[in-house]
Amino acid sequence: MGNEDETTFGQRMSARWNGFLKFLWNSETKEFLGRGGKSWGQISLFYFCFYTCLAAFWACMLLIFMQTVDYSRPKWVSYVSTPSLVVTPSEIEERISYTPTNEATFSKTVKKLNDLWKKINESNFDEEARPCNATIPGDKSEQRYCTFDLANLGRYCTPDNYFGYTSTEPCVLVNLNRVWGWIPENYAEGDDAEKGFVNGHVLIKCKPYKDKDVAAVNATKVYPSTGIPFAYFPYVTGTNKKDQARYITPYVAVRVTLNEEEAVDRDVKVQCEAFAGNLDPRGGLFDTKERSQFTVIFKLGKSEAPKDEM
C-alpha cells in the first residue's frame, strides 16, 4: 500500500513558492522581507549614519594628504640628486644594428631621430620660448624656457644626411634627463677640471668602452664640443603637462666613426660621460660611484657590393 500522507513534487514546490511570497510580503503582519516598517527604518538609519561617517573619514584623510602635495615640484627628489645621460634612439640593450647600403636596417632608427628633431624644432616656436645666455643658469624661482638652435648639432648629424646611417659614421643624440632643481656648477678654483671642460657647459666626452673596442672605432666627435649649456638648468617645472611640454631639452650629437674592417658583425661599445663641477654623487640611496654615463652598442652589417662589381 502507498503512503497516503506522502506529498507530490508539485505540492512541495507550491508550498515553497507560497512561503517565499509570504517572506517577500506578509499581509498579516505587514512585513517586507521579514521586517516591519519600524525595523526597516532603524536599520536604514544605522547604515546611513555608518556610511556617512565612513565617507567623511576618508574625505578628511584625502584632504589632509592633499595638503602635503606641492604641484610646483616633485615631493621626493633626494634619492635622484644628479642627472644621467640618455641616448636617442633608445634600442633594446642599447644595440644599434644596421647596414649602410640597406635602408631597411636603419629606417626605424632614422625615424626616431627625425621625430625628435621635429619635436625640438616645433618647441622653439612656443610663445614662451626665449634665447638665453648660454653659460648662466637660472634659479629655482621660475622655469625658463630657452630655445635650442639645432645648428649647434653640426652639419653632419642631420635629417638630410640620414644622421650618418648611410655610411660608417652613425650619430646618436644625447641629453641629460630631467632632475628637478639640479643646477650644474663649474669646477672650483684649485680643482682638477676635466680636460676640455669649458665654464658654463656640461662637458660630454665619448670613447671606446674597452681596449677591445679601440680598433673598431676610428674617432668619436661631439657637437657642440663644449657640451650642454648651463642655460637650460635648473628644470623646475611642476606637474602641469603643458608646462612640461614647453621645456626644451638640450641635446648634443655624438658622431661615431667606425672602422669597417673591424666593426663588421661584432658589437662595438662606445661610452659617453658627463662632467661638471658637481656631477659626482651627492648622497642618496641610488647614487653610484661613477659619473653620469651610458654605453651604446653599434653592430655594423656587411655592405653589399655594387652590382657592376659582382
Side-chain angles (χ1 to χ4, degrees):
M1 296 177 63
N3 188 352
E4 295 179 356
D5 293 333
E6 185 177 351
T7 58
T8 64
F9 173 78
Q11 290 173 330
R12 292 196 301 273
M13 292 302 297
S14 177
R16 291 174 182 174
W17 176 249
N18 290 333
F20 175 70
L21 292 177
K22 190 173 183 179
F23 169 73
L24 286 178
W25 172 247
N26 190 328
S27 58
E28 296 177 359
T29 60
K30 308 299 182 183
E31 292 179 347
F32 174 69
L33 296 178
R35 291 181 179 274
K38 182 179 179 180
S39 179
W40 275 114
Q42 291 174 336
I43 196 171
S44 297
L45 179 62
F46 168 78
Y47 278 108
F48 174 78
C49 295
F50 174 76
Y51 285 114
T52 298
C53 292
L54 189 63
F57 170 78
W58 286 110
C60 183
M61 293 297 102
L62 181 62
L63 180 62
I64 294 174
F65 170 75
M66 294 304 292
Q67 300 307 309
T68 68
V69 177
D70 186 352
Y71 291 98
S72 65
R73 57 168 294 173
K75 184 173 179 60
W76 305 110
V77 295
S78 60
Y79 289 137
V80 185
S81 57
T82 56
S84 297
L85 287 175
V86 182
V87 61
T88 302
S90 180
E91 306 288 353
I92 298 176
E93 297 180 351
E94 306 301 347
R95 181 179 282 101
I96 299 175
S97 301
Y98 81 102
T99 302
T101 57
N102 186 352
E103 185 176 351
T105 62
F106 58 80
S107 59
K108 290 183 179 180
T109 300
V110 172
K111 182 180 184 304
K112 291 178 181 179
L113 291 166
N114 270 323
D115 291 343
L116 177 57
W117 188 278
K118 292 178 182 178
K119 181 180 178 181
I120 298 172
N121 185 51
E122 292 171 358
S123 298
N124 283 321
F125 294 100
D126 186 273
E127 59 183 9
E128 294 193 37
R130 297 286 187 275
C132 300
N133 187 316
T135 61
I136 300 178
D139 56 53
K140 297 181 181 181
S141 63
E142 184 180 4
Q143 179 64 65
R144 295 197 303 181
Y145 300 99
C146 300
T147 55
F148 182 81
D149 189 357
L150 288 167
N152 291 334
L153 300 181
R155 298 181 180 180
Y156 183 81
C157 299
T158 63
D160 292 340
N161 199 40
Y162 294 92
F163 296 95
Y165 285 89
T166 55
S167 69
T168 57
E169 296 184 274
C171 295
V172 293
L173 300 182
V174 177
N175 68 289
L176 289 168
N177 63 355
R178 301 175 180 181
V179 174
W180 195 97
W182 182 77
I183 302 177
E185 299 174 0
N186 295 314
Y187 286 93
E189 292 186 13
D191 290 348
D192 292 330
E194 181 67 22
K195 184 179 179 180
F197 180 83
V198 176
N199 282 347
H201 297 78
V202 178
L203 177 66
I204 309 295
K205 298 181 72 172
C206 300
K207 62 182 180 180
Y209 180 63
K210 292 183 177 180
D211 291 342
K212 66 177 182 179
D213 298 307
V214 171
V217 180
N218 287 338
T220 60
K221 192 167 184 179
V222 177
Y223 305 91
S225 59
T226 52
I228 298 175
F230 282 5
Y232 298 90
F233 305 95
Y235 174 76
V236 289
T237 300
T239 58
N240 186 287
K241 298 295 184 182
K242 291 183 179 180
D243 290 341
Q244 291 176 358
R246 288 193 181 103
Y247 178 81
I248 303 175
T249 301
Y251 286 83
V252 297
V254 178
R255 177 182 179 182
V256 180
T257 303
L258 299 172
N259 181 350
E260 188 170 5
E261 295 180 357
E262 297 288 341
V264 171
D265 289 334
R266 58 163 289 191
D267 287 345
V268 180
K269 186 177 288 188
V270 175
Q271 181 184 73
C272 294
E273 294 179 314
F275 298 88
N278 61 337
L279 203 51
D280 286 326
R282 301 171 64 188
L285 181 63
F286 298 106
D287 278 340
T288 67
K289 295 181 180 180
E290 298 177 337
R291 293 182 177 86
S292 177
Q293 62 184 32
F294 79 94
T295 56
V296 60
I297 301 172
F298 291 98
K299 188 171 183 179
L300 188 64
K302 187 175 182 181
S303 299
E304 299 176 358
K307 293 183 178 179
D308 57 355
E309 297 181 5
M310 297 179 63

